[in-house]
Amino acid sequence: MLLKKEFSKKEKITQSIQEIQEFLSQTHKISNFLNLINHKDDSILNALSELELLCQQENERLEEIESLNPEEILNRIEALSALKHRYGGIDEAIEALQNKKQELAKYENLDSLLKEATHALNQSQESLKNHAKALLESRNSNLQDFTQTLNATLKNVKMPPANLWLHEIPLESWNPLGSTTLSITLNTELKNLSAGEFNRFSLALLLTQSTQAKNQSIIILDEIDANLSGEESQGVAEVLYKLSQNYQIFAISHQSHMPSLAHSHFLIQKHSQGSQITLLDKQGRINEIARMISGSEITQEAIDFATKRLQNL
């Protein structure tokens, strides 16, 4: 329907142009008339010239329209309608086109970008390898000393010596810790240790670390010496005492070794109204350690033993 209206309008314009051109063919008569009456104003002739130019331009436009294929016009209208529906408007469609052109330009420069990225990757990998090598050299130079310190501590807590070694990992698995991992075994893998053994190993590892760097952390331990022999419990207590130089340690124990070395001894008693915590003085500590040794009936031997353990306080 729209095309029919356009073509009907075209026919009317064409007819009007023909009529005007017939009129303009008499322009010379108008010019003669103006000369006869000595009319000096050129506005009339100029207007006629503009009218003739306008007719010529419109004729050219109509010729262009004549050359158009109606089916192509319909296809184009349909395409424009689809673009408007997809992007929301012509301006939005043009903006999307510009974005796609920019993306295409990137793809056209893909080879150049790939070369730059590959070069940057190679440089980064080379730098990474250099840093990993320096880190590995530092670890190798300190591994023996670290092993000796750890094994000395493990001996204190009555555990077998550890075997330590570094092994490299694939480049794609490297991380901020470097290109190697540290493996530790104690006659067995760490995952096979009992809970008590693992706790003692953890303490030994903490103590080894604390000799190299000062810490201000807090360690809370709940009956870490449970189910240990007296010798093993004493070793754990000595390790905790050394750790207390760099850590604040809170430890709950039902054995006498840990309280004997502690800087402070708190007695926790449960009542129907709740729990009561009491900071013990020296005599109170002697009495409580003696109770731990001999039970509810405190013996003189237990008191003497507790007094001897606390004689340096």
Side-chain angles (χ1 to χ4, degrees):
M1 181 64 70
L2 181 60
L3 287 177
K4 288 182 178 179
K5 289 182 178 180
E6 289 296 324
F7 279 111
S8 176
K9 182 179 179 181
K10 172 180 172 296
E11 292 176 355
K12 291 179 179 180
I13 293 175
T14 301
Q15 184 178 355
S16 296
I17 290 175
Q18 291 175 352
E19 293 173 353
I20 292 173
Q21 286 178 337
E22 289 178 2
F23 168 73
L24 291 174
S25 65
Q26 305 298 321
T27 302
H28 64 283
K29 295 181 180 180
I30 297 174
S31 179
N32 290 336
F33 170 73
L34 293 175
N35 288 331
L36 288 174
I37 63 174
N38 293 322
H39 186 76
K40 304 299 183 181
D41 190 354
D42 294 335
S43 59
I44 296 176
L45 294 177
N46 290 338
L48 292 174
S49 296
E50 290 180 6
L51 181 59
E52 184 177 10
L53 178 61
L54 182 61
C55 289
Q56 182 180 352
Q57 292 174 345
E58 192 61 23
N59 258 331
E60 293 175 355
R61 189 182 71 84
L62 292 175
E63 288 176 359
E64 291 179 0
I65 294 176
E66 188 70 26
S67 63
L68 295 177
N69 186 336
E71 186 174 350
E72 291 180 357
I73 295 175
L74 288 174
N75 291 337
R76 186 171 183 183
I77 292 175
E78 184 178 356
L80 289 173
S81 177
L83 286 174
K84 186 175 181 180
H85 177 74
R86 180 175 180 181
Y87 296 102
I90 301 300
D91 292 339
E92 289 79 3
I94 293 175
E95 182 179 357
L97 176 62
Q98 295 300 326
N99 292 335
K100 293 298 181 182
K101 286 182 177 180
Q102 292 177 1
E103 290 183 12
L104 180 60
K106 291 181 180 179
Y107 287 123
E108 290 175 346
N109 296 327
L110 190 59
D111 289 341
S112 175
L113 293 174
L114 181 59
K115 289 181 181 179
E116 292 178 2
T118 301
H119 179 67
L121 175 62
N122 291 336
Q123 285 187 323
S124 298
Q125 286 184 340
E126 191 63 29
S127 176
L128 178 63
K129 289 178 181 178
N130 291 335
H131 284 84
K133 181 180 179 181
L135 181 58
L136 178 58
E137 291 175 352
S138 176
R139 285 175 172 171
N140 283 326
S141 64
N142 290 280
L143 182 60
Q144 183 177 359
D145 181 61
F146 180 82
T147 302
Q148 291 176 350
T149 304
L150 176 61
N151 285 335
T153 308
L154 288 172
K155 185 177 180 180
N156 291 338
V157 293
K158 309 307 175 186
M159 292 193 69
N163 297 313
L164 288 80
W165 70 95
L166 295 167
H167 58 88
E168 294 189 7
I169 56 178
L171 177 61
E172 59 272 13
S173 300
W174 287 13
N175 55 58
L177 297 180
S179 61
T180 58
T181 59
L182 176 66
S183 294
I184 305 176
T185 60
L186 294 87
N187 296 334
T188 182
E189 294 185 13
L190 297 185
K191 64 181 181 180
N192 296 327
L193 296 177
S194 66
E197 289 173 332
F198 188 81
N199 287 336
R200 282 182 283 159
F201 170 75
S202 298
L203 287 178
L205 198 60
L206 275 175
L207 181 57
T208 303
Q209 179 185 2
S210 69
T211 60
Q212 300 176 1
K214 297 295 182 180
N215 296 278
Q216 295 181 352
S217 303
I218 296 176
I219 300 176
I220 301 177
L221 303 171
D222 185 9
E223 297 188 49
I224 193 173
D225 53 359
N227 301 319
L228 297 183
S229 67
E231 192 176 10
E232 290 171 342
S233 180
Q234 178 64 27
V236 170
E238 291 174 356
V239 169
L240 290 178
Y241 182 79
K242 293 177 181 178
L243 277 174
S244 66
Q245 298 176 18
N246 295 321
Y247 294 87
Q248 175 63 62
I249 300 175
F250 294 91
I252 299 174
S253 176
H254 293 286
Q255 296 197 43
S256 62
H257 305 89
M258 220 179 284
S260 298
L261 296 178
H263 295 94
S264 300
H265 188 173
F266 294 86
L267 174 63
I268 301 177
Q269 296 172 303
K270 291 184 179 181
H271 304 285
S272 57
Q273 297 82 6
S275 297
Q276 179 182 355
I277 302 177
T278 305
L279 175 60
L280 301 178
D281 57 16
K282 184 173 182 179
Q283 188 58 48
R285 295 181 66 173
I286 291 173
N287 293 337
E288 180 58 24
I289 291 173
R291 186 193 65 78
M292 289 180 174
I293 296 172
S294 60
S296 58
E297 295 184 6
I298 301 176
T299 65
Q300 185 61 44
E301 291 81 1
I303 292 178
D304 292 341
F305 177 82
T307 302
K308 183 176 181 181
R309 293 298 303 268
L310 298 176
Q311 63 183 356
N312 294 325
L313 292 180

